Amino acid sequence: MRDHTPPHTLAGTRVLITGAAGGIGSAAARLCSGLGAQLILTDLHITPELSQLASTLPGVHALQACDVTQRSDVESLVQAQPEIHALIDTAGICPYDDDWLAPDWNEAAFQKVMQVNVLGPLNWARALLPGMIDRQYGRMAFCGSVAGWMGGVRAGPHYAASKGGVHALVRWLAQRGTPHNVMVNGVAPGVIDTGMTAGHGYQPQTQPLKRLGQADEIAHVLTFLISPGASFLAGAMVDANGGILMR
């Protein structure tokens, strides 16, 4: 029998949000808090702004620094918490100053981007999926990018490759989670007005909507993906790109 919980509530849901200091992560924290979720917020560093956010939001259960590239850090955080029902993973990096055709280019930047943007999500999935399978319930929402579909414009090849990897990982995890009511999905944002894109030449007038996307517009999608309203959605990458790419 289907659960008839209202589709837009997170009451009683313990949600882990990564990259919570960033624009999309902090917007997701605000939205999930408003929908009644209990929150575990994490980022590489606990900034004063993130501490202030956590202190003002109802339902914040824990605030902890975590390096997503370190499996031991991720597993320690998860093991220290009560059972986690849902993950919103927004942690990611996008360097712009790496000239991959330069004679002195090396693989360090590429490896770092892949470690944060692909290994990070995999570390979270490794830590969370077994418990979710045991409970026969779980939700994971990952943050890809339109660059994962079309290669991007200004970001380097490492970013585009990493986000394409996230898209593939979402489908791979969904195949394994769905039979156990663990629904894994993601969002592929277009150009969003956050610290990641600021100062890098993205012009609103070049966008179909004549503006950049806002962090809360992506947070709404991520929050929907862990809500009761997405109970039949599996392995999907939701295109929230303002019309840059229509597939």
Side-chain angles (χ1 to χ4, degrees):
M1 179 177 294
R2 286 189 57 217
D3 180 4
H4 293 288
T5 303
H8 302 300
T9 181
L10 292 175
T13 302
R14 189 172 291 107
V15 182
L16 170 63
I17 300 178
T18 78
I24 294 173
S26 60
R30 293 185 187 93
L31 185 56
C32 288
S33 174
L35 293 173
Q38 300 172 39
L39 299 178
I40 300 161
L41 305 181
T42 183
D43 210 303
L44 180 60
H45 303 292
I46 304 304
T47 64
E49 293 80 9
L50 180 55
S51 294
Q52 174 66 19
L53 174 68
S55 70
T56 60
L57 291 181
V60 175
H61 177 79
L63 174 64
Q64 184 173 331
C66 182
D67 183 347
V68 302
T69 70
Q70 301 300 309
R71 194 172 83 196
S72 59
D73 281 12
V74 170
E75 290 176 347
S76 294
L77 185 151
V78 170
Q79 290 167 5
Q81 302 301 326
E83 64 184 40
I84 295 169
H85 307 120
L87 167 72
I88 291 179
D89 181 27
T90 73
I93 58 174
C94 179
Y96 289 87
D97 57 353
D98 182 48
D99 183 0
W100 68 286
L101 288 176
D104 60 348
W105 183 82
N106 63 63
E107 295 86 358
F110 182 91
Q111 292 169 350
K112 181 65 174 178
V113 172
M114 296 300 287
Q115 286 171 348
V116 175
N117 291 1
V118 184
L119 179 60
L122 187 57
N123 282 339
W124 289 116
R126 282 176 55 96
L128 291 168
L129 188 61
M132 290 180 173
I133 288 176
D134 287 345
R135 294 187 293 272
Q136 292 292 290
Y137 181 86
R139 299 290 183 264
M140 297 186 190
F142 293 97
C143 201
S145 171
V146 70
W149 298 132
M150 58 187 294
V153 179
R154 290 175 172 79
H158 36 17
Y159 182 76
S162 72
K163 291 305 183 178
V166 171
H167 298 188
L169 184 60
V170 162
R171 293 188 290 271
W172 190 90
L173 289 168
Q175 291 179 37
R176 286 146 182 84
T178 303
H180 306 282
N181 193 32
V182 179
M183 314 306 277
V184 183
N185 296 285
V187 61
V191 183
I192 308 302
D193 187 12
T194 66
M196 184 178 285
T197 60
H200 293 289
Y202 295 102
Q203 300 299 319
Q205 62 269 24
T206 67
Q207 306 295 308
L209 282 174
K210 309 306 179 187
R211 66 174 179 86
L212 305 186
Q214 298 300 305
D216 64 333
E217 294 179 300
I218 306 305
H220 275 284
V221 178
L222 289 164
T223 303
F224 165 72
L225 292 175
I226 65 164
S227 76
S231 59
F232 204 60
L233 205 60
M237 289 300 304
V238 179
D239 289 317
N241 59 47
I244 296 173
L245 176 68
M246 301 186 186
R247 299 184 301 124

